[in-house]
Amino acid sequence: MDFSAYLQQFVSFYAEQWQDTAVKEIEEQDFTRVIVSSPTLLRDSAGNHPQILHHGEMTDNVIVLLHGLTDSPYYMSAIAQDFAQIGFTVVLPLLPAHGLRRPGRAFHNLQHTQWIETVDVMCKLASQLGNKVSIGGLSTGGTLCVHKAVKAPEAITGGLFLFSAALDIGTVEQLVLQTEAGRMIARLRDQQLWLAKTIKEQIQMILDDQEEGRANEYFGIGDNEYKYSVFFFEGASQLAEVIQEINQHYDSREQQFSDLTLPIFVAHAQDDDSALYRGVTRLVEHHPNDAIALYTMTGVPHGSVVLKSPIIDDAEHSEYAPANPCYADMSERMLAFAREQLC
């Protein structure tokens, strides 16, 4: 097949899920942007749409960039443009249950295997768009990247780029600790069998409490155009399943990630209260060679690590989403690492 046929595969993947889709191509200075839109998506904003940034032909490098829990491809858009400007083809999927006008029911029915299957499809497609396939992601997107690299290392022939990656068991607790139900979920910290039946029953109790709110078909839609306004506990449960599968891949924590030999770039706030810093330090410490770079910062909110510009820059606003003041330096380090290791 020619290059345009592979682009069509990306479009078809979403057309099969949504009743009505349209495709738009936008010529930008350094690349062409292909956007798959649908009335199903939140506010018809391109930031919530799955996209590909391409150069009209197969490139040496291609990267799949995965957004985080309850947000959308918009959060990875600045990173995507950075990679596109140095010649990468960039694939920006929309993960199942995300970016929707009516998210409640989608999250209620969500299984983590749907995320994993989407990543599998996107990595396979990426291998047809570029010679070396890299993968990167924010928070839950970063967790899915590590899951892919651990479970199917042959699919990632380039590098791994992680931003606020949720790799530690404490992550699920921290994500919900500020909520009324957080105390219940906090019991997960010291339990290796934290998805046992009793814990799942507790999570279900929380879900049942949300049902009244879900009667409003737009439950979860707030002022942030690119992220849901509520934390869906189903998402935490499914994230926990992904983390558990990664942990179970290894016999011990001492062995964890020691088999990942590919180049890895990690950006993380040391005081991140959602995805614990100790998770990525274990990844760095156990990497078997020197093809790894750790970029640290402090005082940057979890989801803002990848934001070049603010979405909502009001600290008093419940959906506060400021820019990362370190973004320019982080991006420069990231691209230098990519050039050194992949180009």
PDB file of all heavy atoms in Angstrom, residues 143 146-147 149-150 160 162 166-168 243 246-247 249-250 252-262 264 278-288 292:
ATOM      1  N   THR A 143       2.169   5.092  31.358  1.00  0.00           N
ATOM      2  CA  THR A 143       2.033   3.728  31.869  1.00  0.00           C
ATOM      3  C   THR A 143       1.790   2.755  30.728  1.00  0.00           C
ATOM      4  O   THR A 143       2.383   1.671  30.669  1.00  0.00           O
ATOM      5  CB  THR A 143       0.868   3.644  32.870  1.00  0.00           C
ATOM      6  OG1 THR A 143       0.954   4.714  33.802  1.00  0.00           O
ATOM      7  CG2 THR A 143       0.879   2.321  33.613  1.00  0.00           C
ATOM      8  N   VAL A 146       5.016   2.080  28.827  1.00  0.00           N
ATOM      9  CA  VAL A 146       5.890   1.121  29.503  1.00  0.00           C
ATOM     10  C   VAL A 146       5.324  -0.288  29.376  1.00  0.00           C
ATOM     11  O   VAL A 146       6.067  -1.255  29.140  1.00  0.00           O
ATOM     12  CB  VAL A 146       6.070   1.514  30.980  1.00  0.00           C
ATOM     13  CG1 VAL A 146       6.831   0.432  31.740  1.00  0.00           C
ATOM     14  CG2 VAL A 146       6.803   2.841  31.086  1.00  0.00           C
ATOM     15  N   HIS A 147       4.011  -0.428  29.502  1.00  0.00           N
ATOM     16  CA  HIS A 147       3.370  -1.735  29.336  1.00  0.00           C
ATOM     17  C   HIS A 147       3.695  -2.310  27.964  1.00  0.00           C
ATOM     18  O   HIS A 147       4.051  -3.493  27.833  1.00  0.00           O
ATOM     19  CB  HIS A 147       1.856  -1.582  29.516  1.00  0.00           C
ATOM     20  CG  HIS A 147       1.098  -2.876  29.458  1.00  0.00           C
ATOM     21  ND1 HIS A 147       0.767  -3.496  28.268  1.00  0.00           N
ATOM     22  CD2 HIS A 147       0.597  -3.670  30.457  1.00  0.00           C
ATOM     23  CE1 HIS A 147       0.093  -4.604  28.523  1.00  0.00           C
ATOM     24  NE2 HIS A 147      -0.022  -4.736  29.833  1.00  0.00           N
ATOM     25  N   ALA A 149       6.265  -1.517  25.985  1.00  0.00           N
ATOM     26  CA  ALA A 149       7.698  -1.803  25.880  1.00  0.00           C
ATOM     27  C   ALA A 149       8.071  -3.067  26.644  1.00  0.00           C
ATOM     28  O   ALA A 149       8.972  -3.809  26.225  1.00  0.00           O
ATOM     29  CB  ALA A 149       8.498  -0.617  26.399  1.00  0.00           C
ATOM     30  N   VAL A 150       7.392  -3.324  27.765  1.00  0.00           N
ATOM     31  CA  VAL A 150       7.668  -4.509  28.577  1.00  0.00           C
ATOM     32  C   VAL A 150       7.097  -5.758  27.927  1.00  0.00           C
ATOM     33  O   VAL A 150       7.761  -6.799  27.840  1.00  0.00           O
ATOM     34  CB  VAL A 150       7.095  -4.319  29.997  1.00  0.00           C
ATOM     35  CG1 VAL A 150       7.042  -5.645  30.755  1.00  0.00           C
ATOM     36  CG2 VAL A 150       7.917  -3.302  30.772  1.00  0.00           C
ATOM     37  N   LEU A 160      11.577   5.519  24.086  1.00  0.00           N
ATOM     38  CA  LEU A 160      10.453   5.645  25.005  1.00  0.00           C
ATOM     39  C   LEU A 160      10.550   7.030  25.655  1.00  0.00           C
ATOM     40  O   LEU A 160      11.602   7.394  26.190  1.00  0.00           O
ATOM     41  CB  LEU A 160      10.552   4.537  26.061  1.00  0.00           C
ATOM     42  CG  LEU A 160       9.452   4.341  27.085  1.00  0.00           C
ATOM     43  CD1 LEU A 160       8.134   4.017  26.409  1.00  0.00           C
ATOM     44  CD2 LEU A 160       9.845   3.208  28.041  1.00  0.00           C
ATOM     45  N   LEU A 162       8.674   9.525  28.368  1.00  0.00           N
ATOM     46  CA  LEU A 162       7.702   9.475  29.446  1.00  0.00           C
ATOM     47  C   LEU A 162       7.575  10.825  30.136  1.00  0.00           C
ATOM     48  O   LEU A 162       8.584  11.445  30.510  1.00  0.00           O
ATOM     49  CB  LEU A 162       8.113   8.417  30.471  1.00  0.00           C
ATOM     50  CG  LEU A 162       8.322   6.996  29.930  1.00  0.00           C
ATOM     51  CD1 LEU A 162       8.796   6.073  31.045  1.00  0.00           C
ATOM     52  CD2 LEU A 162       7.041   6.458  29.294  1.00  0.00           C
ATOM     53  N   ALA A 166       2.813   7.295  35.287  1.00  0.00           N
ATOM     54  CA  ALA A 166       2.247   6.681  36.488  1.00  0.00           C
ATOM     55  C   ALA A 166       2.735   5.245  36.592  1.00  0.00           C
ATOM     56  O   ALA A 166       2.115   4.319  36.078  1.00  0.00           O
ATOM     57  CB  ALA A 166       0.717   6.728  36.424  1.00  0.00           C
ATOM     58  N   LEU A 167       3.866   5.049  37.267  1.00  0.00           N
ATOM     59  CA  LEU A 167       4.475   3.726  37.343  1.00  0.00           C
ATOM     60  C   LEU A 167       4.451   3.114  38.729  1.00  0.00           C
ATOM     61  O   LEU A 167       4.795   1.954  38.887  1.00  0.00           O
ATOM     62  CB  LEU A 167       5.940   3.795  36.871  1.00  0.00           C
ATOM     63  CG  LEU A 167       6.153   4.222  35.419  1.00  0.00           C
ATOM     64  CD1 LEU A 167       7.646   4.206  35.092  1.00  0.00           C
ATOM     65  CD2 LEU A 167       5.387   3.322  34.457  1.00  0.00           C
ATOM     66  N   ASP A 168       4.083   3.899  39.746  1.00  0.00           N
ATOM     67  CA  ASP A 168       4.152   3.401  41.118  1.00  0.00           C
ATOM     68  C   ASP A 168       2.775   3.004  41.622  1.00  0.00           C
ATOM     69  O   ASP A 168       1.777   3.634  41.276  1.00  0.00           O
ATOM     70  CB  ASP A 168       4.761   4.467  42.031  1.00  0.00           C
ATOM     71  CG  ASP A 168       5.115   3.905  43.386  1.00  0.00           C
ATOM     72  OD1 ASP A 168       4.233   3.888  44.257  1.00  0.00           O
ATOM     73  OD2 ASP A 168       6.264   3.455  43.564  1.00  0.00           O
ATOM     74  N   ILE A 243      -0.953  -1.238  35.672  1.00  0.00           N
ATOM     75  CA  ILE A 243       0.215  -1.243  36.551  1.00  0.00           C
ATOM     76  C   ILE A 243       0.456  -2.639  37.105  1.00  0.00           C
ATOM     77  O   ILE A 243       1.594  -3.113  37.174  1.00  0.00           O
ATOM     78  CB  ILE A 243       0.030  -0.237  37.706  1.00  0.00           C
ATOM     79  CG1 ILE A 243      -0.064   1.188  37.162  1.00  0.00           C
ATOM     80  CG2 ILE A 243       1.187  -0.341  38.692  1.00  0.00           C
ATOM     81  CD1 ILE A 243      -0.429   2.230  38.199  1.00  0.00           C
ATOM     82  N   ILE A 246       2.192  -4.815  34.588  1.00  0.00           N
ATOM     83  CA  ILE A 246       3.617  -4.490  34.500  1.00  0.00           C
ATOM     84  C   ILE A 246       4.360  -5.118  35.669  1.00  0.00           C
ATOM     85  O   ILE A 246       5.401  -5.776  35.488  1.00  0.00           O
ATOM     86  CB  ILE A 246       3.832  -2.963  34.490  1.00  0.00           C
ATOM     87  CG1 ILE A 246       3.255  -2.336  33.217  1.00  0.00           C
ATOM     88  CG2 ILE A 246       5.326  -2.635  34.616  1.00  0.00           C
ATOM     89  CD1 ILE A 246       3.249  -0.812  33.223  1.00  0.00           C
ATOM     90  N   ASN A 247       3.840  -4.938  36.883  1.00  0.00           N
ATOM     91  CA  ASN A 247       4.505  -5.473  38.077  1.00  0.00           C
ATOM     92  C   ASN A 247       4.613  -6.988  38.025  1.00  0.00           C
ATOM     93  O   ASN A 247       5.628  -7.566  38.421  1.00  0.00           O
ATOM     94  CB  ASN A 247       3.757  -5.039  39.337  1.00  0.00           C
ATOM     95  CG  ASN A 247       3.882  -3.553  39.604  1.00  0.00           C
ATOM     96  OD1 ASN A 247       4.778  -2.891  39.086  1.00  0.00           O
ATOM     97  ND2 ASN A 247       2.978  -3.017  40.416  1.00  0.00           N
ATOM     98  N   HIS A 249       4.961  -8.832  35.545  1.00  0.00           N
ATOM     99  CA  HIS A 249       5.904  -9.283  34.520  1.00  0.00           C
ATOM    100  C   HIS A 249       7.258  -9.645  35.134  1.00  0.00           C
ATOM    101  O   HIS A 249       8.026 -10.413  34.562  1.00  0.00           O
ATOM    102  CB  HIS A 249       6.086  -8.174  33.474  1.00  0.00           C
ATOM    103  CG  HIS A 249       7.018  -8.516  32.366  1.00  0.00           C
ATOM    104  ND1 HIS A 249       6.660  -9.343  31.315  1.00  0.00           N
ATOM    105  CD2 HIS A 249       8.311  -8.148  32.135  1.00  0.00           C
ATOM    106  CE1 HIS A 249       7.678  -9.452  30.485  1.00  0.00           C
ATOM    107  NE2 HIS A 249       8.694  -8.749  30.950  1.00  0.00           N
ATOM    108  N   TYR A 250       7.537  -9.094  36.321  1.00  0.00           N
ATOM    109  CA  TYR A 250       8.838  -9.284  36.966  1.00  0.00           C
ATOM    110  C   TYR A 250       8.700 -10.114  38.236  1.00  0.00           C
ATOM    111  O   TYR A 250       7.690 -10.035  38.935  1.00  0.00           O
ATOM    112  CB  TYR A 250       9.461  -7.929  37.303  1.00  0.00           C
ATOM    113  CG  TYR A 250       9.685  -7.061  36.084  1.00  0.00           C
ATOM    114  CD1 TYR A 250       8.761  -6.079  35.734  1.00  0.00           C
ATOM    115  CD2 TYR A 250      10.803  -7.233  35.278  1.00  0.00           C
ATOM    116  CE1 TYR A 250       8.959  -5.282  34.609  1.00  0.00           C
ATOM    117  CE2 TYR A 250      11.008  -6.442  34.152  1.00  0.00           C
ATOM    118  CZ  TYR A 250      10.082  -5.476  33.826  1.00  0.00           C
ATOM    119  OH  TYR A 250      10.265  -4.698  32.707  1.00  0.00           O
ATOM    120  N   SER A 252      10.638  -9.702  40.850  1.00  0.00           N
ATOM    121  CA  SER A 252      10.905  -8.847  42.005  1.00  0.00           C
ATOM    122  C   SER A 252      11.067  -7.408  41.553  1.00  0.00           C
ATOM    123  O   SER A 252      11.281  -7.131  40.365  1.00  0.00           O
ATOM    124  CB  SER A 252      12.190  -9.299  42.712  1.00  0.00           C
ATOM    125  OG  SER A 252      13.319  -9.045  41.891  1.00  0.00           O
ATOM    126  N   ARG A 253      10.987  -6.479  42.499  1.00  0.00           N
ATOM    127  CA  ARG A 253      11.187  -5.072  42.173  1.00  0.00           C
ATOM    128  C   ARG A 253      12.634  -4.802  41.768  1.00  0.00           C
ATOM    129  O   ARG A 253      12.906  -3.848  41.042  1.00  0.00           O
ATOM    130  CB  ARG A 253      10.810  -4.200  43.368  1.00  0.00           C
ATOM    131  CG  ARG A 253       9.313  -4.148  43.600  1.00  0.00           C
ATOM    132  CD  ARG A 253       8.878  -2.773  44.033  1.00  0.00           C
ATOM    133  NE  ARG A 253       7.427  -2.661  44.015  1.00  0.00           N
ATOM    134  CZ  ARG A 253       6.769  -1.530  44.202  1.00  0.00           C
ATOM    135  NH1 ARG A 253       7.440  -0.416  44.403  1.00  0.00           N
ATOM    136  NH2 ARG A 253       5.462  -1.489  44.180  1.00  0.00           N
ATOM    137  N   GLU A 254      13.551  -5.619  42.243  1.00  0.00           N
ATOM    138  CA  GLU A 254      14.950  -5.445  41.877  1.00  0.00           C
ATOM    139  C   GLU A 254      15.175  -5.711  40.393  1.00  0.00           C
ATOM    140  O   GLU A 254      16.088  -5.153  39.778  1.00  0.00           O
ATOM    141  CB  GLU A 254      15.836  -6.383  42.707  1.00  0.00           C
ATOM    142  CG  GLU A 254      15.981  -5.995  44.171  1.00  0.00           C
ATOM    143  CD  GLU A 254      14.689  -6.159  44.960  1.00  0.00           C
ATOM    144  OE1 GLU A 254      13.904  -7.079  44.639  1.00  0.00           O
ATOM    145  OE2 GLU A 254      14.451  -5.350  45.885  1.00  0.00           O
ATOM    146  N   GLN A 255      14.341  -6.563  39.805  1.00  0.00           N
ATOM    147  CA  GLN A 255      14.448  -6.882  38.383  1.00  0.00           C
ATOM    148  C   GLN A 255      13.657  -5.914  37.499  1.00  0.00           C
ATOM    149  O   GLN A 255      13.875  -5.856  36.290  1.00  0.00           O
ATOM    150  CB  GLN A 255      13.935  -8.297  38.114  1.00  0.00           C
ATOM    151  CG  GLN A 255      14.765  -9.412  38.706  1.00  0.00           C
ATOM    152  CD  GLN A 255      14.175 -10.760  38.366  1.00  0.00           C
ATOM    153  OE1 GLN A 255      12.991 -10.887  38.044  1.00  0.00           O
ATOM    154  NE2 GLN A 255      14.998 -11.801  38.430  1.00  0.00           N
ATOM    155  N   GLN A 256      12.770  -5.148  38.111  1.00  0.00           N
ATOM    156  CA  GLN A 256      11.828  -4.341  37.348  1.00  0.00           C
ATOM    157  C   GLN A 256      12.535  -3.385  36.397  1.00  0.00           C
ATOM    158  O   GLN A 256      13.447  -2.655  36.784  1.00  0.00           O
ATOM    159  CB  GLN A 256      10.931  -3.558  38.305  1.00  0.00           C
ATOM    160  CG  GLN A 256       9.636  -3.083  37.672  1.00  0.00           C
ATOM    161  CD  GLN A 256       8.671  -2.547  38.717  1.00  0.00           C
ATOM    162  OE1 GLN A 256       9.079  -1.966  39.708  1.00  0.00           O
ATOM    163  NE2 GLN A 256       7.385  -2.748  38.499  1.00  0.00           N
ATOM    164  N   PHE A 257      12.122  -3.436  35.128  1.00  0.00           N
ATOM    165  CA  PHE A 257      12.576  -2.565  34.042  1.00  0.00           C
ATOM    166  C   PHE A 257      14.011  -2.852  33.581  1.00  0.00           C
ATOM    167  O   PHE A 257      14.494  -2.193  32.651  1.00  0.00           O
ATOM    168  CB  PHE A 257      12.464  -1.075  34.421  1.00  0.00           C
ATOM    169  CG  PHE A 257      11.130  -0.681  34.963  1.00  0.00           C
ATOM    170  CD1 PHE A 257      11.026  -0.029  36.187  1.00  0.00           C
ATOM    171  CD2 PHE A 257       9.962  -0.970  34.261  1.00  0.00           C
ATOM    172  CE1 PHE A 257       9.784   0.332  36.695  1.00  0.00           C
ATOM    173  CE2 PHE A 257       8.721  -0.613  34.754  1.00  0.00           C
ATOM    174  CZ  PHE A 257       8.634   0.030  35.979  1.00  0.00           C
ATOM    175  N   SER A 258      14.700  -3.817  34.180  1.00  0.00           N
ATOM    176  CA  SER A 258      16.086  -4.090  33.802  1.00  0.00           C
ATOM    177  C   SER A 258      16.208  -4.688  32.400  1.00  0.00           C
ATOM    178  O   SER A 258      17.305  -4.735  31.842  1.00  0.00           O
ATOM    179  CB  SER A 258      16.730  -5.038  34.820  1.00  0.00           C
ATOM    180  OG  SER A 258      16.034  -6.276  34.871  1.00  0.00           O
ATOM    181  N   ASP A 259      15.097  -5.135  31.842  1.00  0.00           N
ATOM    182  CA  ASP A 259      15.110  -5.695  30.492  1.00  0.00           C
ATOM    183  C   ASP A 259      14.812  -4.644  29.420  1.00  0.00           C
ATOM    184  O   ASP A 259      14.826  -4.952  28.221  1.00  0.00           O
ATOM    185  CB  ASP A 259      14.095  -6.832  30.377  1.00  0.00           C
ATOM    186  CG  ASP A 259      12.686  -6.419  30.809  1.00  0.00           C
ATOM    187  OD1 ASP A 259      12.559  -5.419  31.544  1.00  0.00           O
ATOM    188  OD2 ASP A 259      11.722  -7.100  30.412  1.00  0.00           O
ATOM    189  N   LEU A 260      14.564  -3.402  29.816  1.00  0.00           N
ATOM    190  CA  LEU A 260      14.272  -2.342  28.851  1.00  0.00           C
ATOM    191  C   LEU A 260      15.591  -1.701  28.405  1.00  0.00           C
ATOM    192  O   LEU A 260      16.148  -0.854  29.097  1.00  0.00           O
ATOM    193  CB  LEU A 260      13.353  -1.285  29.462  1.00  0.00           C
ATOM    194  CG  LEU A 260      11.940  -1.738  29.841  1.00  0.00           C
ATOM    195  CD1 LEU A 260      11.139  -0.567  30.394  1.00  0.00           C
ATOM    196  CD2 LEU A 260      11.222  -2.353  28.650  1.00  0.00           C
ATOM    197  N   THR A 261      16.074  -2.102  27.266  1.00  0.00           N
ATOM    198  CA  THR A 261      17.371  -1.620  26.781  1.00  0.00           C
ATOM    199  C   THR A 261      17.246  -0.456  25.806  1.00  0.00           C
ATOM    200  O   THR A 261      18.250   0.123  25.407  1.00  0.00           O
ATOM    201  CB  THR A 261      18.129  -2.762  26.097  1.00  0.00           C
ATOM    202  OG1 THR A 261      17.348  -3.241  24.984  1.00  0.00           O
ATOM    203  CG2 THR A 261      18.376  -3.914  27.059  1.00  0.00           C
ATOM    204  N   LEU A 262      16.034  -0.105  25.412  1.00  0.00           N
ATOM    205  CA  LEU A 262      15.834   0.960  24.435  1.00  0.00           C
ATOM    206  C   LEU A 262      16.133   2.328  25.048  1.00  0.00           C
ATOM    207  O   LEU A 262      16.104   2.489  26.267  1.00  0.00           O
ATOM    208  CB  LEU A 262      14.421   0.913  23.875  1.00  0.00           C
ATOM    209  CG  LEU A 262      13.236   1.413  24.730  1.00  0.00           C
ATOM    210  CD1 LEU A 262      11.978   1.440  23.898  1.00  0.00           C
ATOM    211  CD2 LEU A 262      13.031   0.591  25.990  1.00  0.00           C
ATOM    212  N   ILE A 264      15.531   5.829  26.629  1.00  0.00           N
ATOM    213  CA  ILE A 264      14.385   6.313  27.403  1.00  0.00           C
ATOM    214  C   ILE A 264      14.644   7.739  27.880  1.00  0.00           C
ATOM    215  O   ILE A 264      15.677   8.022  28.493  1.00  0.00           O
ATOM    216  CB  ILE A 264      14.101   5.420  28.619  1.00  0.00           C
ATOM    217  CG1 ILE A 264      13.864   3.962  28.184  1.00  0.00           C
ATOM    218  CG2 ILE A 264      12.887   5.926  29.395  1.00  0.00           C
ATOM    219  CD1 ILE A 264      13.671   2.999  29.347  1.00  0.00           C
ATOM    220  N   ARG A 278       9.107   8.210  42.762  1.00  0.00           N
ATOM    221  CA  ARG A 278       9.883   7.003  43.022  1.00  0.00           C
ATOM    222  C   ARG A 278       9.666   5.938  41.949  1.00  0.00           C
ATOM    223  O   ARG A 278      10.530   5.089  41.735  1.00  0.00           O
ATOM    224  CB  ARG A 278       9.546   6.447  44.400  1.00  0.00           C
ATOM    225  CG  ARG A 278       8.150   5.850  44.522  1.00  0.00           C
ATOM    226  CD  ARG A 278       7.794   5.525  45.948  1.00  0.00           C
ATOM    227  NE  ARG A 278       6.499   4.884  46.033  1.00  0.00           N
ATOM    228  CZ  ARG A 278       5.763   4.847  47.136  1.00  0.00           C
ATOM    229  NH1 ARG A 278       6.212   5.430  48.235  1.00  0.00           N
ATOM    230  NH2 ARG A 278       4.589   4.231  47.148  1.00  0.00           N
ATOM    231  N   GLY A 279       8.526   5.984  41.266  1.00  0.00           N
ATOM    232  CA  GLY A 279       8.270   5.008  40.205  1.00  0.00           C
ATOM    233  C   GLY A 279       9.229   5.173  39.044  1.00  0.00           C
ATOM    234  O   GLY A 279       9.771   4.190  38.526  1.00  0.00           O
ATOM    235  N   VAL A 280       9.469   6.422  38.618  1.00  0.00           N
ATOM    236  CA  VAL A 280      10.372   6.626  37.479  1.00  0.00           C
ATOM    237  C   VAL A 280      11.834   6.530  37.906  1.00  0.00           C
ATOM    238  O   VAL A 280      12.693   6.178  37.086  1.00  0.00           O
ATOM    239  CB  VAL A 280      10.097   7.966  36.756  1.00  0.00           C
ATOM    240  CG1 VAL A 280       8.698   7.968  36.164  1.00  0.00           C
ATOM    241  CG2 VAL A 280      10.304   9.159  37.666  1.00  0.00           C
ATOM    242  N   THR A 281      12.150   6.823  39.169  1.00  0.00           N
ATOM    243  CA  THR A 281      13.542   6.657  39.598  1.00  0.00           C
ATOM    244  C   THR A 281      13.934   5.188  39.553  1.00  0.00           C
ATOM    245  O   THR A 281      15.084   4.856  39.228  1.00  0.00           O
ATOM    246  CB  THR A 281      13.776   7.219  41.015  1.00  0.00           C
ATOM    247  OG1 THR A 281      12.875   6.598  41.942  1.00  0.00           O
ATOM    248  CG2 THR A 281      13.554   8.720  41.040  1.00  0.00           C
ATOM    249  N   ARG A 282      13.003   4.308  39.861  1.00  0.00           N
ATOM    250  CA  ARG A 282      13.288   2.872  39.762  1.00  0.00           C
ATOM    251  C   ARG A 282      13.581   2.492  38.317  1.00  0.00           C
ATOM    252  O   ARG A 282      14.491   1.706  38.033  1.00  0.00           O
ATOM    253  CB  ARG A 282      12.097   2.076  40.309  1.00  0.00           C
ATOM    254  CG  ARG A 282      12.374   0.603  40.484  1.00  0.00           C
ATOM    255  CD  ARG A 282      11.397  -0.037  41.466  1.00  0.00           C
ATOM    256  NE  ARG A 282      10.003   0.126  41.067  1.00  0.00           N
ATOM    257  CZ  ARG A 282       9.120   0.862  41.754  1.00  0.00           C
ATOM    258  NH1 ARG A 282       9.481   1.520  42.834  1.00  0.00           N
ATOM    259  NH2 ARG A 282       7.874   0.951  41.340  1.00  0.00           N
ATOM    260  N   LEU A 283      12.823   3.072  37.391  1.00  0.00           N
ATOM    261  CA  LEU A 283      13.054   2.829  35.969  1.00  0.00           C
ATOM    262  C   LEU A 283      14.459   3.293  35.564  1.00  0.00           C
ATOM    263  O   LEU A 283      15.193   2.583  34.879  1.00  0.00           O
ATOM    264  CB  LEU A 283      11.999   3.565  35.147  1.00  0.00           C
ATOM    265  CG  LEU A 283      12.171   3.581  33.626  1.00  0.00           C
ATOM    266  CD1 LEU A 283      11.948   2.197  33.043  1.00  0.00           C
ATOM    267  CD2 LEU A 283      11.207   4.573  32.998  1.00  0.00           C
ATOM    268  N   VAL A 284      14.845   4.481  36.016  1.00  0.00           N
ATOM    269  CA  VAL A 284      16.154   5.033  35.668  1.00  0.00           C
ATOM    270  C   VAL A 284      17.272   4.206  36.280  1.00  0.00           C
ATOM    271  O   VAL A 284      18.260   3.856  35.615  1.00  0.00           O
ATOM    272  CB  VAL A 284      16.249   6.504  36.126  1.00  0.00           C
ATOM    273  CG1 VAL A 284      17.666   7.031  35.931  1.00  0.00           C
ATOM    274  CG2 VAL A 284      15.250   7.367  35.369  1.00  0.00           C
ATOM    275  N   GLU A 285      17.133   3.869  37.549  1.00  0.00           N
ATOM    276  CA  GLU A 285      18.183   3.130  38.248  1.00  0.00           C
ATOM    277  C   GLU A 285      18.390   1.731  37.688  1.00  0.00           C
ATOM    278  O   GLU A 285      19.511   1.206  37.723  1.00  0.00           O
ATOM    279  CB  GLU A 285      17.838   3.048  39.737  1.00  0.00           C
ATOM    280  CG  GLU A 285      17.927   4.389  40.452  1.00  0.00           C
ATOM    281  CD  GLU A 285      17.302   4.350  41.833  1.00  0.00           C
ATOM    282  OE1 GLU A 285      16.760   3.276  42.201  1.00  0.00           O
ATOM    283  OE2 GLU A 285      17.329   5.385  42.531  1.00  0.00           O
ATOM    284  N   HIS A 286      17.328   1.124  37.166  1.00  0.00           N
ATOM    285  CA  HIS A 286      17.423  -0.251  36.683  1.00  0.00           C
ATOM    286  C   HIS A 286      17.733  -0.349  35.197  1.00  0.00           C
ATOM    287  O   HIS A 286      17.867  -1.454  34.675  1.00  0.00           O
ATOM    288  CB  HIS A 286      16.118  -1.001  36.989  1.00  0.00           C
ATOM    289  CG  HIS A 286      15.888  -1.222  38.452  1.00  0.00           C
ATOM    290  ND1 HIS A 286      14.785  -1.889  38.940  1.00  0.00           N
ATOM    291  CD2 HIS A 286      16.614  -0.873  39.542  1.00  0.00           C
ATOM    292  CE1 HIS A 286      14.835  -1.915  40.263  1.00  0.00           C
ATOM    293  NE2 HIS A 286      15.935  -1.315  40.644  1.00  0.00           N
ATOM    294  N   HIS A 287      17.825   0.795  34.505  1.00  0.00           N
ATOM    295  CA  HIS A 287      18.126   0.750  33.076  1.00  0.00           C
ATOM    296  C   HIS A 287      19.532   0.190  32.882  1.00  0.00           C
ATOM    297  O   HIS A 287      20.486   0.633  33.534  1.00  0.00           O
ATOM    298  CB  HIS A 287      18.011   2.148  32.465  1.00  0.00           C
ATOM    299  CG  HIS A 287      17.923   2.138  30.977  1.00  0.00           C
ATOM    300  ND1 HIS A 287      19.033   2.200  30.163  1.00  0.00           N
ATOM    301  CD2 HIS A 287      16.857   2.068  30.139  1.00  0.00           C
ATOM    302  CE1 HIS A 287      18.660   2.182  28.893  1.00  0.00           C
ATOM    303  NE2 HIS A 287      17.342   2.098  28.856  1.00  0.00           N
ATOM    304  N   PRO A 288      19.691  -0.794  31.971  1.00  0.00           N
ATOM    305  CA  PRO A 288      20.969  -1.519  31.879  1.00  0.00           C
ATOM    306  C   PRO A 288      22.096  -0.794  31.140  1.00  0.00           C
ATOM    307  O   PRO A 288      23.211  -1.300  31.091  1.00  0.00           O
ATOM    308  CB  PRO A 288      20.570  -2.802  31.139  1.00  0.00           C
ATOM    309  CG  PRO A 288      19.411  -2.396  30.292  1.00  0.00           C
ATOM    310  CD  PRO A 288      18.658  -1.375  31.108  1.00  0.00           C
ATOM    311  N   ILE A 292      19.691   6.679  28.630  1.00  0.00           N
ATOM    312  CA  ILE A 292      18.539   7.143  29.390  1.00  0.00           C
ATOM    313  C   ILE A 292      18.821   8.549  29.900  1.00  0.00           C
ATOM    314  O   ILE A 292      19.959   8.886  30.246  1.00  0.00           O
ATOM    315  CB  ILE A 292      18.210   6.187  30.558  1.00  0.00           C
ATOM    316  CG1 ILE A 292      16.856   6.560  31.193  1.00  0.00           C
ATOM    317  CG2 ILE A 292      19.327   6.129  31.592  1.00  0.00           C
ATOM    318  CD1 ILE A 292      16.247   5.456  32.030  1.00  0.00           C
TER     319      ILE A 292
END
